[in-house]
Amino acid sequence: MWRAAAKLAALTLGGAGAAAIVTSDDPSSTFKICTIVPLRLLRDSITAATMAFDYQYSLWGLKEGSIEWLRAKHEVHNRCAYRLQELCFRNGGIYIKLGQHIGQLEYVVPQEYVQTMRASMLKRCPVSSYDQVQNIFVKELGEPPEKIFAEFDPVPLASASLAQVHAARTHDGKKVAVKVQHTHLTDTAIADIATVDLIVNFLHWFFPGFDYRWLVDEIRESAPKELDFLFEARNSEKCLDNFRRLSPQMANSIYAPKVYWNLSTSRLLTMEFMDAAEITDVSAIQRLGIEPVDVSKLVSQAFAEMTFKHGFVHCDPHAANMMVRPLPSSKWNCFGKRKPQLILLDHGLYKELDFETKTNYAALWKALIFADVNAIKENSVKLGAGEDLYALFAGVLTMRPWSRVIDPSVDHLVLEGNDGDRSELQMYASQYFSQISELLSRLPRVILLMLKTNDCIRAVNHALLQGSSLETFLIIGRVSSEAVTEAKRMLHKRSIIWGLSMWLEQMLLEARLLSMRIALWFLQLKKSVSS
């Protein structure tokens, strides 16, 4: 019966594919889709079945929570993470984007998957041939790159999941970076998302605790926008405009490459070439006369402003999407140092927070910074965590157990980045895996993207500082508090009493921040003396 069903399915798919090719306006592309998609679906099915069998067989008969069960679970996590990694690379495109999402969801998916994906997904992306690049140019701009530009390097500077970047020079002598979409993506994106959906649903059916269908929903929504480079270009301009209007005190410190609109389409994006250091290249940053700690503070400030004040957030701020250079207007100080300017790249994935969500999220972070238990619970519940999982939500946001979240000590949220911290977090994530899955199913998708953004920023800060800094939390505390105060101004009628209460609240905030800063100074002094 199974053999007959498989034969019937193959004949049906074959007949449908043949009909699609004959009736298509672009038979070659349709033929490619009809041959690629079944192969990917087969790979997906084999990988999903293998992973499911491995988990079932490896943990069979072992007592949950025992040393043997934990060891076996760690080993099967590693094996299956490697299988998923290889599936993403073989299928490419949207699958690599999925792998990158997983690698940025620390404390949300098993640590073995995070480490495996993080170590490879930004380094082994596919590269389109120069012939394919030429075909994109001819389709989009009518001519090959050699005619459109005075110079065009056929070897890409870098390649990512959806596109690769080439250096070029315009006919008026300006050096530019040209982002070229990988050729097959537009044709196969819908089918790829459908097959990814299939494998995630299968794993959820086999393991009810494994529910990451929200991740597929997010990719389904964001992929068409990320594949439209004109949408990305508009996002970059809106981001800079938000800083000019809403955060003018730091607008000059944030930069995005200028877009050459006449040389850009939905599949080609020509931008100003940026001569700058990668955000995690500490040696290069120091050679520019910039202190890594200043870069960390600028990154934290920029994303706090975007999140709590602008409500328009760059949600893919991993290391490859940020660069740093000296602030053009700054001069060398007496210590031979310069101020940094943060350059944001790849503006395809942004999320907008509505007023209520933005305000509640700011209030939650304010409460986390100041260890305000009642406010943590109140705002976690407002954001969807529920009265039973608000403590877990606080832990996922801060990567600290509840006992540390509510600790009144000034450095209660600081991560040292050592082996002890990592083992504690892995244990915490493993222990509460099913509850974390339940929490993720409750939270709005926009908050799930904020979790991913937090993890990206945390990873960047860790690379810059080998841990986290109390200074980072002071910045988050100040910006989130200012956002909450501004929301109150918008919602309440002005009066003398109201104005006085706002003034007192601001004075209390300044006093708390000052006490934290004094404590920071003493901690740094103690550390320097002990070393």
Side-chain angles (χ1 to χ4, degrees):
M1 182 180 73
W2 285 104
R3 189 174 298 171
K7 186 175 181 180
L8 177 62
L11 288 171
T12 304
L13 286 170
I21 293 168
V22 170
T23 59
S24 173
D25 294 331
D26 188 354
S28 62
S29 295
T30 307
F31 175 76
K32 188 186 296 182
I33 294 170
C34 290
T35 54
I36 288 175
V37 170
L39 179 60
R40 293 186 184 190
L41 187 58
L42 179 62
R43 286 184 193 137
D44 287 357
S45 302
I46 292 173
T47 301
T50 304
M51 290 171 68
F53 175 78
D54 197 356
Y55 275 101
Q56 192 79 359
Y57 176 78
S58 299
L59 301 177
W60 185 269
L62 298 178
K63 183 180 178 182
E64 185 173 347
S66 66
I67 295 175
E68 293 80 9
W69 182 85
L70 290 172
R71 184 185 300 116
K73 191 173 183 181
H74 170 68
E75 290 171 355
V76 74
H77 276 336
N78 275 328
R79 288 195 300 271
C80 290
Y82 176 76
R83 292 186 184 110
L84 187 57
Q85 175 203 69
E86 290 306 303
L87 175 71
C88 291
F89 282 130
R90 293 190 70 184
N91 285 350
I94 298 297
Y95 286 82
I96 291 180
K97 182 62 67 174
L98 173 69
Q100 290 175 350
H101 270 287
I102 292 172
Q104 293 160 4
L105 289 171
E106 194 167 9
Y107 212 163
V108 174
V109 299
Q111 198 68 16
E112 293 84 353
Y113 284 83
V114 171
Q115 292 170 348
T116 300
M117 298 302 174
R118 232 177 229 184
S120 59
M121 282 296 155
L122 296 176
K123 299 175 183 176
R124 285 178 53 191
C125 292
V127 178
S128 295
S129 69
Y130 187 55
D131 286 341
Q132 291 172 321
V133 170
Q134 287 178 311
N135 289 336
I136 291 285
F137 267 89
V138 171
K139 284 183 180 180
E140 297 297 309
L141 295 176
E143 292 182 313
E146 311 87 61
K147 290 190 175 181
I148 292 172
F149 296 101
E151 298 174 18
F152 187 88
D153 190 346
V155 179
L157 294 168
S159 184
S161 57
L162 305 182
Q164 61 192 45
V165 178
H166 292 258
R169 194 172 297 276
T170 62
H171 288 288
D172 59 359
K174 293 176 181 175
K175 191 173 182 181
V176 295
V178 186
K179 185 175 179 178
V180 185
Q181 194 172 112
H182 294 311
T183 52
H184 66 279
L185 286 175
T186 305
D187 297 329
T188 62
I190 295 176
D192 283 350
I193 293 169
T195 53
V196 168
D197 191 21
L198 181 70
I199 190 172
V200 172
N201 273 287
F202 173 79
L203 289 172
H204 174 61
W205 171 76
F206 204 85
F207 301 106
F210 183 97
D211 190 1
Y212 291 94
R213 292 173 293 178
W214 61 268
L215 187 54
V216 180
D217 291 339
E218 179 52 43
I219 291 176
R220 183 182 289 111
E221 180 182 311
S222 64
K225 297 175 183 177
E226 291 189 80
L227 289 170
D228 183 353
F229 291 170
L230 295 179
F231 181 81
E232 175 184 339
R234 288 191 290 270
N235 280 346
S236 71
E237 293 195 341
K238 182 176 179 179
C239 173
L240 293 184
D241 182 61
N242 281 343
F243 275 101
R244 283 190 292 267
R245 291 185 305 105
L246 304 173
S247 306
Q249 77 282 2
M250 64 176 307
N252 290 334
S253 298
I254 309 299
Y255 193 79
K258 174 187 173 184
V259 176
Y260 291 79
W261 291 95
N262 60 321
L263 297 174
S264 298
T265 71
S266 61
R267 300 178 73 185
L268 285 171
L269 183 59
T270 304
M271 303 164 287
E272 173 186 5
F273 187 90
M274 303 310 305
D275 185 12
E278 291 188 10
I279 195 75
T280 55
D281 190 342
V282 174
S283 297
I285 289 170
Q286 290 173 330
R287 285 196 297 271
L288 293 172
I290 299 170
E291 287 288 347
V293 66
D294 291 337
V295 178
S296 173
K297 287 191 285 188
L298 178 56
V299 169
S300 299
Q301 179 84 27
F303 279 86
E305 297 279 337
M306 276 193 270
T307 304
F308 304 130
K309 292 186 177 179
H310 306 176
F312 185 67
V313 188
H314 188 313
C315 287
D316 202 15
H318 58 71
N321 285 343
M322 292 191 286
M323 304 179 82
V324 65
R325 67 181 180 184
L327 184 66
S329 61
S330 73
K331 297 180 180 179
W332 297 87
N333 65 20
C334 58
F335 299 104
K337 301 300 178 184
R338 299 182 68 182
K339 293 181 180 179
Q341 183 181 60
L342 177 65
I343 300 168
L344 297 174
L345 307 174
D346 196 349
H347 298 261
L349 182 58
Y350 272 74
K351 280 296 174 182
E352 293 199 52
L353 284 73
D354 60 60
F355 178 80
E356 183 178 5
T357 302
K358 181 179 67 173
T359 303
N360 292 336
Y361 192 57
L364 174 57
W365 267 106
K366 177 184 177 182
L368 290 168
I369 300 301
F370 297 122
D372 184 339
V373 178
N374 292 332
I376 291 172
K377 180 177 180 180
E378 177 187 347
N379 290 287
S380 294
V381 170
K382 285 181 180 178
L383 289 168
E387 301 221 0
D388 54 333
L389 294 180
Y390 70 89
L392 182 62
F393 185 31
V396 169
L397 279 170
T398 61
M399 295 191 71
R400 300 277 71 186
W402 179 246
S403 59
R404 288 293 302 274
V405 171
I406 61 175
D407 188 331
S409 61
V410 69
D411 60 343
H412 67 293
L413 298 182
V414 174
L415 283 162
E416 296 297 335
N418 53 32
D419 291 337
D421 265 345
R422 280 191 288 272
S423 61
E424 181 184 21
L425 293 170
Q426 289 170 15
M427 179 275 294
Y428 199 67
S430 176
Q431 183 178 354
Y432 294 102
F433 180 74
S434 60
Q435 291 95 323
I436 290 173
S437 294
E438 171 62 23
L439 173 66
L440 298 180
S441 69
R442 296 182 186 181
L443 295 174
R445 282 220 310 275
V446 68
I447 296 300
L448 297 175
L449 263 291
M450 293 303 103
L451 293 179
K452 174 196 167 188
T453 302
N454 288 343
D455 287 339
C456 288
I457 298 303
R458 191 180 289 117
V460 167
N461 280 329
H462 180 269
L464 290 166
L465 306 173
Q466 293 306 302
S468 60
S469 164
L470 181 55
E471 188 72 41
T472 295
F473 294 108
L474 288 174
I475 290 168
I476 295 172
R478 176 176 290 282
V479 179
S480 61
S481 298
E482 289 173 353
V484 171
T485 301
E486 182 58 31
K488 289 178 180 177
R489 285 198 185 100
M490 296 176 66
L491 293 173
H492 294 84
K493 292 182 178 180
R494 308 286 178 94
S495 67
I496 295 175
I497 296 176
W498 178 87
L500 181 60
S501 68
M502 287 291 98
W503 180 82
L504 289 172
E505 186 174 314
Q506 186 64 30
M507 290 302 100
L508 177 61
L509 170 64
E510 294 298 335
R512 296 175 82 176
L513 291 172
L514 178 60
S515 66
M516 291 178 75
R517 192 164 293 282
I518 292 171
L520 171 62
W521 184 83
F522 275 112
L523 285 172
Q524 290 173 335
L525 180 63
K526 182 179 178 182
K527 185 180 291 187
S528 62
V529 170
S530 61
S531 60

